[in-house]
Amino acid sequence: AVVSTQSTGEDHFLISFAFYSFPSQTINYQTNKETTHCLTNTYLSTQPQFITKTISKMSEEDKVLLKNKLNEALTLKNKLRDIAPNEQQATLEQIIEICALTKELSEKIDMQHGKALSIEMSTFAQIASLSNKHEEDPNAYEVFEAPLEEAKKIAKDYGDAKLENRILEIQANMYLRMGRHDKEAEAITRACGLQRTVPKVLALLDALSRLLDSLFLNPSPDSDLLMKVNADFWETYLILCEKMGYDKKLFIADKRRANHLFKVALYIGSFAGNPLHGGQEEENFKLGMEAFDEAIWVANQLDNKEYLCAATAHKASVLYHKLTPPEKKECLKNLKHMQEKYEPENTELIEIIENLTKASQSTQQQ
């Protein structure tokens, strides 16, 4: 027996700099405006969903009660968008109370799909309540992990992709609150697998950015993890801009995104172009040069001389070994000119000039 839901409206997956947002605090992906943590309007933007299929082996009374109560909770959830965050608590408590009843009823009649819907709405309301209270203790959200996993499994088993997507959104926001950015990225990656949209891909890039920041502060014992996360970010960025046609200038209009893109591009360029990492292979070397070029493009767009000097120096360092003696001489000359022109505070350019100079002198002595 399957409870099916029907919804209207475009799929939205808006997780960025906010936990959730309302009309006055909407995440606008055309301007990348930052928002504060509260509840999302677009998550609630679909019209009330209605149970459409009859449920076999149930009494008529139970069937009607379950249908009506689920729809009552859904209608209340949709009304939240018209209520200010500080006035939502009563409505959220109503949703939680109704969903406790529908979950109990679903278990009584062995209606797994109804149980998953109940868990989804109840968890949504409970997390929203914590969010509105500005709860920042990660432990406060741990209690929702197991129920959401159970509901997600049921959604998968019943082939309800829309329900699974909503659960994944809740999970992603929950893990964002918990500071578990690996799980946050994992949830959004799965959501992108169900249906890839620009808001989802942007959300994934933001999650990967937070994960990179976390790995920088707390390095993982897994030496391959940093490489994997950088590679995932780079691949996702290319999908966004090259396959989905997203404007790169719009992406870097947000300085945090621009800074992360620069760092990832520099990492990918250095890693892919390094002979020790297979950089001698033409395909890897080409990938490295493209990444360096993107880093230089970002530096120019930001008019950041420090970034420009660093990216140019690292690219020259990787490219140097493939140059002819006259080209190497010209390369060093250009780097020294850049050093004199910009006088960067960062020492990377100077160090690379010194290293390449020593390499050139060593070659001449041989």
Side-chain angles (χ1 to χ4, degrees):
V2 179
V3 176
S4 68
T5 59
Q6 183 177 0
S7 64
T8 60
E10 184 184 355
D11 165 49
H12 292 276
F13 198 88
L14 301 186
I15 306 176
S16 183
F17 311 116
F19 182 70
Y20 288 112
S21 67
F22 265 109
S24 61
Q25 301 165 315
T26 301
I27 299 174
N28 186 332
Y29 280 95
Q30 297 306 306
T31 57
N32 296 303
K33 291 180 180 176
E34 203 169 322
T35 64
T36 57
H37 288 155
C38 53
L39 218 119
T40 186
N41 170 41
T42 49
Y43 183 87
L44 305 172
S45 63
T46 57
Q47 296 299 315
Q49 305 168 22
F50 296 95
I51 309 307
T52 57
K53 290 187 177 181
T54 57
I55 303 172
S56 60
K57 299 180 181 179
M58 290 174 57
S59 69
E60 186 65 24
E61 182 180 348
D62 284 342
K63 179 181 71 174
V64 171
L65 179 59
L66 179 58
K67 180 180 73 171
N68 290 343
K69 286 298 180 180
L70 282 173
N71 282 311
E72 183 181 346
L74 285 163
T75 301
L76 285 170
K77 189 178 75 169
N78 278 288
K79 287 181 178 179
L80 283 169
R81 61 180 171 180
D82 299 320
I83 305 174
N86 61 350
E87 298 176 358
Q88 290 175 357
Q89 192 57 34
T91 303
L92 292 171
E93 289 176 0
Q94 278 184 279
I95 295 172
I96 295 168
E97 183 178 346
I98 292 169
C99 289
L101 174 62
T102 57
K103 181 173 179 288
E104 182 180 351
L105 181 58
S106 296
E107 289 174 337
K108 173 185 172 184
I109 60 179
D110 195 24
M111 181 56 238
Q112 291 298 301
H113 198 215
K115 180 180 179 180
L117 288 165
S118 301
I119 292 172
E120 176 232 336
M121 287 187 287
S122 175
T123 306
F124 169 84
Q126 291 179 74
I127 292 178
S129 178
L130 288 173
S131 174
N132 290 342
K133 294 174 183 176
H134 304 288
E135 178 58 65
E136 296 181 358
D137 181 6
N139 297 325
Y141 298 90
E142 288 183 356
V143 67
F144 306 118
E145 285 192 85
L148 284 172
E149 281 298 320
E150 180 184 9
K152 185 170 67 175
K153 183 179 184 303
I154 294 171
K156 285 183 181 180
D157 291 343
Y158 279 86
D160 190 342
K162 290 183 181 296
L163 173 58
E164 184 182 356
N165 187 74
R166 295 196 303 271
I167 293 170
L168 286 165
E169 180 175 358
I170 296 171
Q171 284 186 311
N173 280 292
M174 175 187 71
Y175 287 125
L176 169 61
R177 283 291 191 176
M178 296 172 70
R180 293 176 59 182
H181 303 303
D182 55 337
K183 301 292 288 184
E184 178 193 359
E186 181 183 314
I188 305 174
T189 298
R190 169 61 184 166
C192 287
L194 292 175
Q195 183 186 20
R196 186 187 291 155
T197 64
V198 168
K200 285 182 184 179
V201 175
L202 286 168
L204 177 55
L205 286 165
D206 289 337
L208 291 170
S209 296
R210 287 188 282 269
L211 180 53
L212 285 170
D213 288 342
S214 177
L215 289 172
F216 178 77
L217 294 173
N218 303 289
S220 169
D222 182 358
S223 58
D224 292 333
L225 182 58
L226 182 61
M227 177 185 67
K228 181 182 183 305
V229 178
N230 274 281
D232 286 347
F233 183 105
W234 182 247
E235 181 182 1
T236 303
Y237 171 74
L238 293 179
I239 288 173
L240 176 70
C241 297
E242 295 183 1
K243 293 187 178 180
M244 303 181 74
Y246 193 76
D247 187 348
K248 294 195 297 184
K249 288 186 178 180
L250 190 59
F251 183 81
I252 65 167
D254 183 286
K255 292 301 186 291
R256 284 183 294 185
R257 287 176 175 168
N259 290 332
H260 279 105
L261 173 59
F262 175 82
K263 293 173 185 176
V264 169
L266 208 58
Y267 180 95
I268 295 296
S270 300
F271 188 89
N274 191 323
L276 297 176
H277 300 142
Q280 296 286 16
E281 297 179 16
E282 194 59 35
E283 193 62 32
N284 283 348
F285 184 79
K286 180 183 176 183
L287 171 62
M289 292 300 104
E290 289 174 351
F292 279 132
D293 288 342
E294 196 73 7
I296 292 171
W297 175 80
V298 172
N300 283 320
Q301 292 295 313
L302 298 180
D303 194 23
N304 188 318
K305 69 176 184 180
E306 296 291 331
Y307 277 6
L308 180 61
C309 290
T312 304
H314 281 284
K315 181 180 179 180
S317 177
V318 172
L319 186 60
Y320 189 80
H321 305 286
K322 285 183 170 286
L323 300 178
T324 63
E327 289 172 335
K328 288 180 178 179
K329 185 176 180 180
E330 185 67 21
C331 177
L332 268 172
K333 178 182 176 182
N334 291 336
L335 291 179
K336 290 176 181 178
H337 175 71
M338 175 173 276
Q339 167 66 23
E340 294 172 359
K341 179 180 178 180
Y342 293 110
E343 298 181 343
E345 295 180 8
N346 195 298
T347 60
E348 287 175 287
L349 179 56
I350 296 175
E351 291 171 357
I352 287 175
I353 290 174
E354 291 176 351
N355 290 337
L356 295 183
T357 300
K358 289 178 183 178
S360 177
Q361 292 172 345
S362 176
T363 302
Q364 290 173 1
Q365 290 174 359
Q366 293 175 357

